[in-house]
Amino acid sequence: MKRSTGHGIHPRPRGSKGLTGALLASTLLLSACTGPAEPRPSDGATAPTPSDAPTEEAADAVAWWRAASEPRDVVTQLEVPWSVVVLDDGTQLLSQRDDGAVLEVDADGLARVVGEIDLTAAVGEGGLLGIAVHEDEDRTLLYAYVTTADDNRIVRARLDGDAGNRRLGGAEVVIDGIPRDRVHNGGRIAFGPDGMLYVATGDAGRPEAAQDPGSLAGKILRLTPEGEPAPGNPFGSAVYSLGHRNVQGLAWTQDGTLWASEFGQDRFDEINRIEAGGNYGWPLVEGASDDERFVAPLITWTPEEASPSGVAARGNTLFVAGLRGERVWQIDVEAGALIGEPVALWQGELGRVRDAVVAGDELWLLTNNTDGRGNAAAGDDRLMRVPLAAGD
C-alpha cells in the first residue's frame, strides 16, 4: 500500500480492541529501491563515503543479505507499538508505548496481553519503550525501559508459561534515575554478545548533560543483568559512551561491532560505530567534524531521509528503521567501514517504521503510525516480517 508522505494525522478505524493477524498468500519480489542519501558535510568535514570502503577482496568476503520480498502483515491494529523481541520458539513480544502493555503474538498472528508495566507514565515520546529478554538460571526475564512520573528506568519481570499462555510477573527495578522529558528519552535496550545489558538514553532536553560523564542522559550505558556497572567500563561507571542526543537503535554485526542510530537536531541523523569511551560530540557537533575529540559517524542523513529508530543486523548488513523517512535503510559494512552505498527499501510504503529485528533468516518490522505524528492507514499499526535471502 502506497502512502502519502504528508504529516497530517488521520484517524484509523478502531472498532473493537481485538487484534487481528493476516499473512499474505504470496511472496512478492522487491521490485525497486530508491537511491542512497549522500553523506553531507558538517563543520567543514564529511562523513566517511564509499570511497573509504575496504578493498574489493574484503567486500567479496562479506555475507551479503538482501530483503527478498515485500513485508507481510503478521498482526495489525496495534496501539503505538515501540519494540519487538522474537523468542526462540518463534513467537514475538511487543511493547505498546502509551498503555504500558506487553503483548505476545503467536504463530497464527493472534495477539494477547501478557502483562502491563504499571509504572508507565506516557507523556510525549515517553512511555513503555524498549524491551529485551534474558535467561537467568531457571528464569526467563523481560527487561523494559519505561518512563515513569519521575524518571526513565529499567525494570525486569519474570516471564512464565509457554507460547500462547505466557504471563508477566511483578516488576523490579534494575536501574533508575535516568533523566526524562517529553522528548529525547532514548529507550532502546539490548543484551550484547558479552551478556551485558546495553541501554540507549537521550539527553532529555538537556543537551549539556550529554557531555557530562556523571549524568545518565545522552549516553549508551553498559550494565550487568542486575543493573551494576559492567566490568571494564571506560569511566568506572555505567557509562559506556557519551555525547549522544537521542539514540534509539542498537545492533551488533557478526564481527562483534556495536552500531547505534542517532537522531540529529535539524541537520544530520547518524549511524555510529560505538567504541568504549567514545565521545560522539553532541551538543558541540551534529554530524561529522574534523575535531579529533569526537568519533565521526559512519553515515549521516537529513532528518527527512531517516529519523532513525530501531536497528537490526544480519551478518555484516544493517537494517535501519526510518520514522520521518518512512523507509528501511539497508547498509553493508566490513571492518567498521561502509561497503557500497546505503539502499532505501519500501520508501513511502509502510509509513513510519519504529523497530527492526532480525531472527534467523527473517527481518521483522514494526510500524509507528498511531503515535500522533504518523499518517495512519486502516490496519495500523502493524508487525510485519520479510524473508531474507543471501545475495549472489
Side-chain angles (χ1 to χ4, degrees):
M1 91 197 131
K2 188 72 175 177
R3 294 173 179 269
S4 164
T5 57
H7 299 288
I9 300 171
H10 301 279
R12 68 178 178 82
R14 299 284 174 175
S16 68
K17 297 291 285 187
L19 300 168
T20 62
L23 291 175
L24 298 184
S26 61
T27 301
L28 303 178
L29 294 178
L30 183 64
S31 59
C33 297
T34 61
E38 292 292 333
R40 288 172 167 78
S42 174
D43 299 329
T46 57
T49 66
S51 62
D52 302 314
T55 64
E56 184 176 346
E57 290 76 15
D60 289 341
V62 177
W64 292 74
W65 288 80
R66 291 289 180 260
S69 66
E70 295 289 348
R72 295 177 285 179
D73 287 352
V74 174
V75 64
T76 61
Q77 295 186 351
L78 298 167
E79 300 281 348
V80 196
W82 210 93
S83 182
V84 56
V85 173
V86 181
L87 302 179
D88 290 341
D89 61 10
T91 59
Q92 303 89 48
L93 296 178
L94 308 173
S95 65
Q96 293 195 149
R97 187 191 71 184
D98 290 357
D99 62 9
V102 178
L103 309 181
E104 178 189 35
V105 181
D106 66 19
D108 296 322
L110 299 176
R112 53 180 292 272
V113 176
V114 300
E116 296 180 354
I117 305 300
D118 293 335
L119 294 172
T120 302
V123 177
E125 297 174 0
L128 177 57
L129 304 178
I131 56 174
V133 171
H134 182 65
E135 300 290 339
D136 180 10
E137 298 177 349
D138 60 344
R139 302 181 299 170
T140 299
L141 297 170
L142 177 83
Y143 286 69
Y145 188 111
V146 59
T147 307
T148 75
D150 301 315
D151 61 5
N152 286 302
R153 61 181 62 182
I154 308 293
V155 299
R156 67 180 184 181
R158 183 161 177 155
L159 189 65
D160 291 318
D162 299 322
N165 191 37
R166 289 188 171 93
R167 59 189 180 279
L168 199 60
E172 62 177 354
V173 175
V174 175
I175 185 173
D176 57 11
I178 301 170
R180 57 150 281 174
D181 196 47
R182 292 185 58 85
V183 296
H184 306 176
N185 290 291
R188 194 67 59 189
I189 62 175
F191 281 93
D194 57 1
M196 299 295 110
L197 178 64
Y198 291 74
V199 179
T201 76
D203 69 10
R206 306 172 183 90
E208 68 284 352
Q211 288 293 321
D212 178 3
S215 171
L216 297 180
K219 307 297 189 297
I220 293 176
L221 312 179
R222 179 172 174 264
L223 307 169
T224 68
E226 290 71 38
E228 298 298 322
N233 279 2
F235 302 102
S237 67
V239 174
Y240 189 69
S241 63
L242 72 162
H244 299 289
R245 182 174 181 269
N246 194 21
V247 172
Q248 289 191 2
L250 299 170
W252 288 262
T253 43
Q254 66 182 6
D255 61 1
T257 301
L258 173 59
W259 300 92
S261 64
E262 181 156 351
F263 288 82
Q265 184 173 20
D266 301 314
R267 302 170 63 199
F268 300 107
D269 294 331
E270 302 175 2
I271 296 296
N272 285 301
R273 178 181 179 176
I274 302 303
E275 304 170 358
N279 188 330
Y280 292 81
W282 178 253
L284 304 176
V285 172
E286 181 183 356
S289 168
D290 56 5
D291 191 325
E292 295 182 355
R293 294 177 297 170
F294 307 127
V295 181
L298 176 77
I299 295 169
T300 61
W301 295 293
T302 64
E304 293 81 2
E305 295 168 311
S307 298
S309 190
V311 179
R314 178 63 169 91
N316 282 336
T317 296
L318 298 172
F319 297 97
V320 183
L323 289 165
R324 188 173 174 186
E326 296 191 351
R327 68 198 75 179
V328 175
W329 283 105
Q330 181 174 299
I331 304 164
D332 292 293
V333 295
E334 176 73 5
L338 183 66
I339 293 179
E341 297 181 336
V343 176
L345 304 175
W346 310 300
Q347 183 174 342
E349 297 179 15
L350 311 178
R352 292 160 55 84
V353 187
R354 172 65 71 179
D355 200 10
V357 173
V358 166
D361 292 342
E362 291 184 315
L363 172 67
W364 295 81
L365 302 174
L366 198 60
T367 69
N368 208 179
N369 296 308
T370 59
D371 67 347
R373 296 182 177 180
N375 187 13
D380 280 336
D381 268 311
R382 304 165 184 274
L383 173 67
M384 315 179 86
R385 67 183 181 94
V386 186
L388 299 178
D392 294 332

